[in-house]
Amino acid sequence: MKTVVTTAYRATSSMMEWAERVSTELSLQQVARNKRSIEKMHAVESADLLICLKERLEFYPLGKTEPFFFHPNSAAYRTKRPLEEDPLVVVSNLKPGDSFLDCTLGLASDSLVASQRVGKAGRVIGCESHPILAYVVQQGLKQYSEMPHLIDAMKRIEVVASDAVLFLQKLESNSIDVIYMDPMFTEEIAEATNFTALKGLADQGQLTEQWVAEARRVARKSIVLKAHFRSPDFENFGFVRRVRPNTKFHYGVIILPQENN
């Protein structure tokens, strides 16, 4: 799908300059907003819209009136609690100084928790297969400043615009401590309104034998899966399910042999 870059309804000179930079970086066409509505721009341009506002980027897929934009989401409150008690940290045995690969970056909430946990000595990489979503999140991680306690953690996250399996194939064996995967739920969680804007945008690919096999090759400590509690993926791919009572998603973990020695 074609994507064009534009500005807010009433553009300022700084917005126009930003739109020009974004269009250059992404090699996308820049078009004037001319006070047109989202609906009218979609009708005229027949394209997705990447809009440069005063302090953030918003992405409107063709036909949608709700934007995708960066926000720390659940990381906002998860990182204010003891990190050693966070369910993802517990199930993965993530430690300060570890490396962490998030195969399904989304809004980067889990990557933010991981980045806060591993600290400056660690490394966090996030994969997003949709190049525009990856760019929006990457820019948001650099620019978002409303939660000072997360600024350092946000800036440490490396965003990679790539399919997770293709990226794993490029990595050396036993090179990442923890690999995390959170495929789009096969059964919708109605309460998860944070993901409304992602529907139809993010990679809908489900877990595969190749994906898990590459993760097993690359991971040193553990591979973690987050999925709906009804998902058969835990048992089908060898994850030990960690049941979370009264929640609609569970974690599963594969502990690599090195950890058992």
Side-chain angles (χ1 to χ4, degrees):
M1 175 60 67
K2 175 185 175 184
T3 300
V4 298
V5 180
T6 189
T7 62
Y9 188 79
R10 288 183 173 83
T12 64
S13 58
S14 61
M15 289 179 195
M16 295 174 68
E17 290 172 3
W18 189 12
E20 185 174 352
R21 290 197 302 272
V22 171
S23 66
T24 299
E25 290 180 13
L26 295 177
S27 299
L28 297 175
Q29 179 185 1
Q30 180 183 354
V31 298
R33 181 69 180 265
N34 293 331
K35 297 184 179 180
R36 292 179 291 175
S37 67
I38 297 298
E39 293 88 344
K40 187 169 184 179
M41 290 203 72
H42 276 158
V44 173
E45 303 295 340
S46 297
D48 297 338
L49 305 176
L50 183 56
I51 299 180
C52 298
L53 303 181
K54 182 179 179 181
E55 296 179 339
R56 76 182 189 196
L57 292 172
E58 290 188 349
F59 180 57
Y60 289 83
L62 184 62
K64 290 183 178 287
T65 56
E66 291 186 28
F68 172 83
F69 58 90
F70 173 78
H71 186 277
N73 207 32
S74 65
Y77 59 84
R78 288 169 65 190
T79 53
K80 291 183 178 180
R81 300 171 179 174
L83 286 173
E84 63 272 13
E85 298 175 9
D86 185 88
L88 174 57
V89 172
V90 172
V91 73
S92 64
N93 193 27
L94 191 64
K95 303 290 186 182
D98 278 352
S99 53
F100 179 92
L101 172 60
D102 186 344
C103 290
T104 45
L105 184 62
L107 286 168
S109 299
D110 294 304
S111 285
L112 275 169
V113 172
S115 182
Q116 194 84 322
R117 174 61 171 170
V118 303
K120 294 181 180 179
R123 184 186 184 191
V124 174
I125 307 169
C127 277
E128 171 53 58
S129 61
H130 191 299
I132 305 300
L133 298 188
Y135 185 82
V136 171
V137 173
Q138 182 185 54
Q139 295 301 305
L141 289 167
K142 292 179 181 179
Q143 298 168 350
Y144 193 87
S145 60
E146 293 181 25
M147 297 180 183
H149 77 288
L150 284 177
I151 290 176
D152 288 343
M154 286 191 288
K155 291 182 177 179
R156 287 195 297 265
I157 296 173
E158 304 169 38
V159 178
V160 177
S162 172
D163 171 81
V165 176
L166 294 178
F167 183 69
L168 283 166
Q169 290 174 335
K170 297 177 183 178
L171 298 177
E172 295 182 2
S173 299
N174 303 311
S175 59
I176 301 290
D177 290 305
V178 175
I179 294 179
Y180 174 66
M181 45 190 70
D182 175 15
M184 298 296 288
F185 294 137
T186 53
E187 297 193 42
E188 180 182 343
I189 296 180
E191 293 85 349
T193 55
N194 293 331
F195 292 92
T196 300
L198 286 176
K199 292 176 183 177
L201 305 182
D203 188 354
Q204 300 292 319
Q206 297 303 304
L207 206 58
T208 64
E209 292 284 358
Q210 183 184 23
W211 191 352
V212 176
E214 285 296 333
R216 281 181 175 273
R217 180 185 64 81
V218 174
R220 278 194 294 256
K221 291 175 58 173
S222 62
I223 307 166
V224 176
L225 170 68
K226 177 183 176 183
H228 192 279
F229 74 93
R230 292 196 185 99
S231 173
D233 284 351
F234 298 105
E235 291 74 26
N236 289 347
F237 294 100
F239 289 86
V240 177
R241 186 191 294 258
R242 301 290 175 86
V243 176
R244 305 176 69 239
N246 304 315
T247 64
K248 291 196 173 183
F249 67 85
H250 291 166
Y251 287 106
V253 63
I254 296 173
I255 302 296
L256 279 301
Q258 296 93 321
E259 277 293 289
N260 294 329
N261 295 334

